[in-house]
Amino acid sequence: MKYFTLRLLSSAVLVGLSGLVLAEPDPQHYSLDQVIDLALANNPELSIMQARIDQADAQLGQAMASFYPQIKTSLSYQYSNNPSQAFAMLIAERRLNFAGTNFNQPGFVEDYRPSVSASYSLFRGGQDYYQSQAAQLGMEASELEKSATRNRLLNNVTAAYYGELAAIQTHKVSQRSIESVQSELDQSRVRYDAGSLLKSDVLSLEVQLAEAKEADIQAANAIEMAQNMLKTLLGLSVNDPFAISESQDTPLPKGPENFDDLLNQALSHHPELKAAEKKVAIAEKQLSVAQAAYLPRADALVSYGSDSKNLTYNSNRDNVSVGVMVELDLFNGFSTQEKVKKAEHELTAAQETARQTRLRIENQLKSAQLRLREALNRAQVSAVAVESAEEALRLVTEQRQAGVVTVTRYLEAQVARDKANTRQISSRYDALRSEAELKQAIGFWQ
């Protein structure tokens, strides 16, 4: 019997230990700062923008290649009895012998020519210079676009974080409402069974309980949706374990600054506006590139090779050519003129895009300022409303227990309390989200 008891105890211990091993750990509860750090490290859109920066850097290197000499090596082979080509090959190989030579029938001649050639651009009307400047500005614009992406991302992350907190708080309100109505319903059923309460009162409470449960379902679903949105911004799968910290007590933001001060901040360093201005400068450089095609081009050329009939090297057969070539397009079917027109239109589009970006930032800034001001006012009013609604429900509950008021009055007080709490939650997190939107509008996150 003792052995059997020990076996049971050991089995129970093993089962308990296996349960501890197999149980999934609770997910870490992230604060807002930790969520922001995770988004910066894991969001795929930032990785895409970094790849574009690297691409722009490579384009800059490609543009700078025009300032270096271009060196090529080649090996050619010819076999011909064409008199002009054959005698040219014999001369290049230093094998021409006039004695007994039939110039009309030279026979087949072979020629191997390994060679090295180099060219250097002396002048291209400034095209290479303007192109390199445009590439440098393109890299700077890509970096600013990444900053703009980061600015938008952190605003969206902050808004999603506060959205989930608001959904959690709303869910708690609905659960408290269910508990309160359920408790009142249980008491009312007892009183109905005792014959001291009408059936209609019980039915009214049952309807209110159903509505409270429906609101609870919607609030729980809102939490899931807000969390899924947040996971997407963090670069997480919807199945990854994740939870936010509910213990934070973030104070309400202060009132917004004067609009002109906010606008000056935005215009001085907002990354989207700066990126748009960089693109205007790029379009100006591209216009200069197109206009430079009207000017002549000059290149220095040098070539070294050795002609032979069997790839044997002999310094006596070296051939060296050095020269300068100057080109000027007299007529190319209006191609240069059309390229200039295209560049002018692209410059106009870039300028209008920059103007549109500024107007959009101004509108976003003003809207965020107004929303923040409105939310703070609502939060102040709702705080007073919650206190009044809580006190009204307490008094009605006492009167209800004393049988002074009807269940309808109790339900009205209950609904008024829940709505006041919901409005307070909404206004509080609306203010926090509006503050984040205001930060985005001035380019706070870079």
Side-chain angles (χ1 to χ4, degrees):
M1 183 67 179
K2 183 180 296 184
Y3 173 75
F4 180 72
T5 303
L6 289 174
R7 287 292 302 272
L8 286 177
L9 288 173
S10 62
S11 298
V13 171
L14 288 174
V15 170
L17 289 175
S18 64
L20 290 174
V21 173
L22 295 177
E24 294 185 0
D26 291 334
Q28 178 184 351
H29 288 71
Y30 289 84
S31 65
L32 177 58
D33 291 339
Q34 291 173 323
V35 167
I36 287 176
D37 291 340
L38 182 58
L40 293 177
N42 206 41
N43 183 268
E45 192 172 3
L46 289 180
S47 300
I48 293 172
M49 298 308 299
Q50 182 59 49
R52 291 181 180 173
I53 292 175
D54 296 338
Q55 178 185 358
D57 185 47
Q59 289 176 342
L60 175 60
Q62 183 179 353
M64 295 300 296
S66 301
F67 294 96
Y68 294 91
Q70 308 299 306
I71 303 174
K72 300 178 182 178
T73 182
S74 64
L75 173 63
S76 63
Y77 169 76
Q78 294 186 73
Y79 181 73
S80 175
N81 68 347
N82 183 300
S84 63
Q85 294 182 0
F87 281 107
M89 289 188 284
L90 288 172
I91 293 172
E93 295 172 3
R94 311 294 199 273
R95 293 194 298 116
L96 181 62
N97 184 2
F98 287 98
T101 301
N102 185 346
F103 290 95
N104 292 321
Q105 299 293 333
F108 282 94
V109 179
E110 290 184 288
D111 181 71
Y112 291 89
R113 177 176 172 78
S115 65
V116 177
S117 62
S119 63
Y120 184 75
S121 176
L122 299 176
F123 181 71
R124 280 169 43 84
Q127 292 183 65
D128 297 334
Y129 171 72
Y130 294 127
Q131 197 70 52
S132 64
Q133 284 194 324
Q136 177 65 43
L137 291 168
M139 190 174 69
E140 294 173 3
S142 297
E143 291 173 347
L144 287 168
E145 287 175 345
K146 182 180 179 181
S147 296
T149 300
R150 173 188 170 112
N151 192 40
R152 289 192 302 271
L153 172 65
L154 296 190
N155 171 48
N156 293 336
V157 167
T158 304
Y161 187 89
Y162 287 136
E164 184 173 351
L165 280 178
I168 291 172
Q169 296 296 325
T170 303
H171 187 228
K172 290 180 178 179
V173 170
S174 64
Q175 288 181 322
R176 186 175 67 169
S177 177
I178 290 174
E179 293 174 0
S180 178
V181 175
Q182 183 67 61
S183 175
E184 182 65 21
L185 178 60
D186 292 340
Q187 297 178 29
S188 297
R189 283 172 176 166
V190 172
R191 296 170 63 186
Y192 171 74
D193 292 338
S196 60
L197 193 68
L198 297 175
K199 178 67 174 179
S200 59
D201 291 344
V202 176
L203 293 175
S204 297
L205 287 169
E206 289 177 348
V207 171
Q208 179 63 21
L209 180 62
E211 292 178 353
K213 288 182 177 180
E214 181 180 355
D216 182 68
I217 293 172
Q218 293 175 347
N221 187 59
I223 294 174
E224 291 293 328
M225 293 182 65
Q227 189 174 88
N228 289 337
M229 181 184 297
L230 191 54
K231 284 182 178 179
T232 300
L233 294 171
L234 300 180
L236 302 176
S237 169
V238 293
N239 294 323
D240 289 338
F242 176 81
I244 64 174
S245 176
E246 303 176 28
S247 59
Q248 298 182 93
D249 187 17
T250 307
L252 283 172
K254 297 179 180 179
E257 300 178 28
N258 179 272
F259 178 76
D260 290 337
D261 294 337
L262 293 172
L263 182 59
N264 289 333
Q265 294 180 49
L267 297 181
S268 63
H269 62 267
H270 197 291
E272 287 187 48
L273 183 58
K274 294 302 177 183
E277 292 172 351
K278 290 289 182 183
K279 289 182 179 179
V280 172
I282 291 171
E284 290 173 347
K285 299 302 180 184
Q286 294 294 355
L287 176 58
S288 298
V289 170
Q291 291 171 337
Y294 287 117
L295 300 176
R297 301 176 296 278
D299 295 311
L301 307 171
V302 60
S303 175
Y304 170 82
S306 176
D307 291 85
S308 64
K309 63 179 180 179
N310 53 12
L311 277 179
T312 58
Y313 177 77
N314 189 325
S315 60
N316 292 328
R317 294 193 295 267
D318 290 354
N319 295 315
V320 179
S321 300
V322 177
V324 176
M325 182 173 65
V326 178
E327 294 180 305
L328 176 64
D329 293 334
L330 297 179
F331 181 73
N332 56 8
F334 305 106
S335 174
T336 301
Q337 180 180 354
E338 296 303 320
K339 287 180 180 178
V340 170
K341 287 182 179 179
K342 179 187 176 206
E344 288 173 344
H345 293 316
E346 289 176 346
L347 175 58
T348 301
Q351 291 170 338
E352 289 302 306
T353 299
R355 188 168 73 92
Q356 182 185 40
T357 301
R358 171 170 177 152
L359 293 174
R360 178 169 52 80
I361 289 173
E362 289 181 4
N363 178 66
Q364 183 183 20
L365 187 63
K366 189 63 177 179
S367 298
Q369 182 197 38
L370 293 175
R371 277 193 287 268
L372 176 56
R373 188 176 297 161
E374 175 194 353
L376 290 173
N377 291 333
R378 284 168 47 212
Q380 184 178 4
V381 172
S382 63
V384 177
V386 167
E387 293 181 2
S388 301
E390 291 284 358
E391 179 64 17
L393 179 61
R394 185 187 67 81
L395 294 174
V396 170
T397 302
E398 292 178 354
Q399 294 170 353
R400 170 68 179 160
Q401 292 173 352
V404 178
V405 298
T406 64
V407 69
T408 301
R409 180 68 188 94
Y410 169 78
L411 292 177
E412 289 175 351
Q414 176 76 32
V415 170
R417 192 275 308 269
D418 294 342
K419 286 184 177 180
N421 279 284
T422 301
R423 285 195 297 268
Q424 184 182 39
I425 294 169
S426 175
S427 61
R428 173 181 176 77
Y429 288 106
D430 281 350
L432 292 171
R433 286 193 290 262
S434 297
E435 182 190 34
E437 185 181 353
L438 190 63
K439 287 181 177 180
Q440 179 193 349
I442 63 175
F444 177 80
W445 292 296
Q446 299 206 29

